[in-house]
Amino acid sequence: MVDRYLYSPGNTKSMSKDEMIVFIKRNSNVKITHEMFADFEYIVQRRDGRVYDENGNLFEDSYSKHRTGHDSIRIRMGRCWETGWSIKED
């Protein structure tokens, strides 16, 4: 079930990066986008706990014990990445 605090149908409330990370960890299979992403781009956490992009490529793997090089959320730093995250409506 999707967190109702941040999501209801038709509501694309903007989230901070920290809110998005909490949200995506609690809500697998919900597409998340960012205002800097192209219209077709999104990320989604699958039930394995890893985050994938719209093409199914591993985007973020913060659960592995060994550094995998898949840290695409963690490397997005700076003011432009601190806000602007939202649920992607289909």
Side-chain angles (χ1 to χ4, degrees):
M1 179 182 218
V2 176
D3 283 347
R4 296 293 177 213
Y5 169 72
L6 291 173
Y7 175 75
S8 62
N11 178 13
T12 56
K13 179 185 186 309
S14 182
M15 293 179 265
S16 70
K17 183 178 176 182
D18 291 339
E19 287 175 318
M20 180 277 293
I21 291 169
V22 169
F23 179 86
I24 202 168
K25 285 181 178 182
R26 291 181 182 167
N27 299 280
S28 60
N29 297 316
V30 176
K31 297 175 185 175
I32 303 293
T33 190
H34 187 269
E35 59 191 22
M36 302 274 289
F37 287 3
D39 289 342
F40 62 88
E41 292 180 311
Y42 64 86
I43 58 175
V44 61
Q45 180 168 289
R46 299 293 182 207
R47 296 201 186 279
D48 67 2
R50 295 182 175 116
V51 177
Y52 296 87
D53 69 12
E54 70 281 350
N55 295 313
N57 298 313
L58 186 56
F59 191 84
E60 178 78 31
D61 181 9
S62 56
Y63 295 101
S64 290
K65 292 180 182 176
H66 303 289
R67 188 146 174 91
T68 64
H70 298 284
D71 56 357
S72 296
I73 292 174
R74 289 173 281 166
I75 64 169
R76 283 174 169 72
M77 301 168 116
R79 193 165 48 176
C80 65
W81 295 106
E82 293 306 313
T83 60
W85 298 91
S86 61
I87 295 169
K88 180 165 179 57
E89 296 291 330
D90 287 328

